[in-house]
Amino acid sequence: MSSEPHVTDENPLAAIPASGKILGLDLGTKTIGVAVCDAMRYSASPLETIKRTKFTQDAERIIQLVAENNAVAIILGLPLNMDGTEGPRVQSTRAFARNLAPRIELPIAFWDERLSTSAVTRMMIEADLRRDRRAEVVDKLAASYILQGALDRLRRG
């Protein structure tokens, strides 16, 4: 597998295998939210939040989660600017994917994550979750939201 994840503008999910579980990642500066879908790919569920340390340790935890869940691919949220342009956070996300790709031998696809955190936060506020509880779960819920969007697109073809 090349060190550059396979992505096309027409269909960013083209490299994803037709079946199997997928991990979704919401890459933040301090944490990585992780979600996984069921084998039938109907729904994404929050899995955990990884506290970021060094890339090597972060990658090792992701590799463990891939193995534990028998994942066949990774969807990585792409933090585009609201106007669709790419800023420094997108560059950082792409660099993370380039560094992770040779270590896992799985396709890594990017999925637009604009508004995922704000949508999840809004849902948690509506559910009357306390602020401290929201902080604990927002990243893995955002990963679930990102992964669910990709699953919906995969089902539509």
Side-chain angles (χ1 to χ4, degrees):
M1 182 173 157
S2 93
S3 61
E4 183 68 35
H6 176 76
V7 179
T8 65
D9 289 334
E10 302 81 43
N11 182 1
L13 305 176
I16 302 296
S19 62
K21 292 182 179 182
I22 302 170
L23 280 189
L25 303 179
D26 179 31
L27 196 62
T29 55
K30 296 179 183 173
T31 61
I32 301 171
V34 184
V36 66
C37 70
D38 60 293
M40 299 300 292
R41 295 187 179 172
Y42 287 118
S43 63
S45 301
L47 192 58
E48 74 174 63
T49 300
I50 300 169
K51 298 278 186 227
R52 294 199 66 179
T53 54
K54 294 182 178 161
F55 172 79
T56 302
Q57 290 154 312
D58 299 344
E60 285 172 4
R61 182 62 187 141
I62 292 167
I63 291 164
Q64 283 178 327
L65 291 170
V66 163
E68 289 170 12
N69 291 282
N70 298 314
V72 299
I74 292 177
I75 302 289
L76 189 54
L78 194 64
L80 297 168
N81 294 325
M82 289 308 293
D83 64 0
T85 60
E86 295 189 6
R89 289 188 59 228
V90 168
Q91 293 169 1
S92 174
T93 300
R94 289 189 189 282
F96 184 91
R98 272 193 308 276
N99 292 330
L100 182 62
R103 296 170 181 247
I104 61 166
E105 298 298 319
L106 294 179
I108 299 173
F110 298 108
W111 191 252
D112 184 353
E113 72 163 47
R114 282 179 285 186
L115 299 177
S116 61
T117 300
S118 60
V120 167
T121 301
R122 197 167 39 255
M123 287 186 293
M124 289 188 297
I125 289 169
E126 289 170 7
D128 206 23
L129 239 60
R130 292 186 334 266
R131 183 182 301 266
D132 60 335
R133 183 69 180 126
R134 290 195 310 260
E136 290 173 16
V137 299
V138 68
D139 298 310
K140 62 184 176 183
L141 287 173
S144 181
Y145 187 90
I146 292 162
L147 180 55
Q148 189 64 54
L151 293 175
D152 294 346
R153 169 72 183 270
L154 284 167
R155 270 197 302 281
R156 287 194 309 267

